[in-house]
Amino acid sequence: HVQLVESGGGSVQAGGSLTLSCTASANTYSSGVCMGWLRQAPGKEREGVASIDNHGSLNYADSVKGRFSISKDNAKNTLYLQMNSLKPEDTAMYYCAAASNWALCPIRGGSPIKYYNLGQGTQVTVS
C-alpha cells in the first residue's frame, strides 16, 4: 500500500522558517529511487521544489536555492524540507512525491507528475 503523509505546514511571517516532514510507508520508501517536494500555488501549475535520490544527489528549483534544504532519514522512512527565509511567493500547497523509476528523477513538475506517488499535501502560508 502506497502512502505518503506530510506534516509541518502552517502560517509564518516572511523571513521565518518551517520544516516539512513526509513519512512514507515502508514499501514506498524502499521501492523509491528518488523523493522530493512539489508545490502548487493558487492559479499556478504544480512545480518541483527539491529532490533527493538514492545516490544522495540533490536538486533544487532556482527560486529556493540557498533557502531550502532537503534531507531524509532512512531509519524513519521520512523525508524533510527545511525552509528558511520564507517569502510570500513560497505560499502554496506542498506535496511529497516519490518515484520508483529513475527516468522520473529528479522530482519535477510537468508530465512526470502523473506517475509520482503523492501525499495529500500540507499548506504553507507566508505573509
Side-chain angles (χ1 to χ4, degrees), residues 1-4 6 22 24-25 27-29 31-36 38 46 95-101 104 107 112-120:
H1 178 61
V2 173
Q3 187 174 17
L4 297 168
E6 302 98 333
C22 170
S25 61
N27 180 61
T28 300
Y29 201 88
S31 64
V33 295
C34 65
M35 296 183 70
L38 302 166
R46 204 167 290 186
Y95 298 89
C96 178
S100 57
N101 187 319
L104 299 174
I107 298 295
I113 289 178
K114 58 182 175 288
Y115 299 107
Y116 293 146
N117 296 317
L118 294 173
Q120 81 288 352

Side-chain angles (χ1 to χ4, degrees), residues 85-113:
S85 302
L86 282 161
K87 304 176 180 180
E89 49 264 44
D90 294 317
T91 295
M93 185 72 79
Y94 284 71
Y95 298 89
C96 178
S100 57
N101 187 319
W102 283 106
L104 299 174
C105 303
I107 298 295
R108 59 193 185 274
S111 56
I113 289 178

Side-chain angles (χ1 to χ4, degrees), residues 5-80:
V5 180
E6 302 98 333
S7 62
S11 296
V12 65
Q13 290 188 337
S17 299
L18 283 173
T19 300
L20 305 184
S21 299
C22 170
T23 300
S25 61
N27 180 61
T28 300
Y29 201 88
S30 63
S31 64
V33 295
C34 65
M35 296 183 70
W37 296 90
L38 302 166
R39 69 184 181 186
Q40 187 168 21
K44 295 188 177 181
E45 294 189 353
R46 204 167 290 186
E47 63 177 1
V49 177
S51 180
I52 182 169
D53 68 26
N54 287 357
H55 299 316
S57 295
L58 308 178
N59 283 271
Y60 295 97
D62 288 342
S63 58
V64 306
K65 284 180 180 177
R67 300 188 298 121
F68 290 11
S69 177
I70 189 171
S71 62
K72 59 180 182 173
D73 186 332
N74 292 335
K76 297 181 179 180
N77 292 351
T78 300
L79 179 74
Y80 301 99

